[in-house]
Amino acid sequence: MREIVVLSLRPRVGYGGGGPTNAVPQEYLDETHRLSGIVAGPEWAEWWAGLGLDVITSIHRYNAQKCAVRVRVTGRTATIGLDRPASTIPAGAAAAAMARDDLEAVLAKVQSRFEAGGHPVVADPAPEGRES
């Protein structure tokens, strides 16, 4: 199992952990890892802090039977669940695009659950051969 946890000062934010990943295309995993660095970065700290939570974590289940996004809150901790059957993830660039779509679905669910305002922009990756 590959686990990705990225923390910021307050609240602590982790996005992208879970498994099993053996049937998940590497492009999807790589993009999820890149996105975890963005949403847990300093540009997002104010948005996450506005939710009134101390800890936000996510668990991706790739052995789920169907696609779903859940948000569970216990005290000042939120656990975001993303169910994405590995068999539904295409290969190549489409896998990376699906990882971005999945993040947008997670953020929409969080916005709805907490009646939060718009989140910062999720930057697309730099074109190959160019750094952003």
Side-chain angles (χ1 to χ4, degrees):
M1 176 171 18
R2 178 178 173 183
E3 183 174 341
I4 302 167
V5 178
V6 181
L7 304 176
S8 59
L9 295 177
R10 185 176 171 138
R12 292 182 298 160
V13 177
Y15 180 76
T21 61
N22 52 321
V24 178
Q26 191 61 48
E27 296 87 352
Y28 183 94
L29 296 173
D30 290 346
E31 184 64 359
T32 298
H33 180 76
R34 185 187 77 81
L35 295 168
S36 72
I38 292 171
V39 300
E43 299 83 14
W44 283 70
E46 185 176 335
W47 189 79
W48 290 116
L51 303 180
L53 299 167
D54 294 328
V55 179
I56 299 120
T57 61
S58 74
I59 300 170
H60 292 196
R61 295 186 331 159
Y62 300 113
N63 61 351
Q65 297 300 310
K66 61 181 182 176
C67 299
V69 178
R70 302 171 311 288
V71 177
R72 180 178 178 193
V73 179
T74 305
R76 294 179 55 87
T77 298
T79 303
I80 302 164
L82 173 67
D83 292 352
R84 165 62 66 197
S87 62
T88 67
I89 304 172
M98 181 174 278
R100 291 188 294 276
D101 290 346
D102 285 347
L103 174 61
E104 287 295 339
V106 163
L107 294 171
K109 186 77 161 190
V110 169
Q111 282 179 286
S112 173
R113 171 69 171 78
F114 292 96
E115 299 178 355
H119 60 75
V121 173
V122 178
D124 283 331
E128 232 174 273
R130 290 184 46 203
E131 293 185 25
S132 54

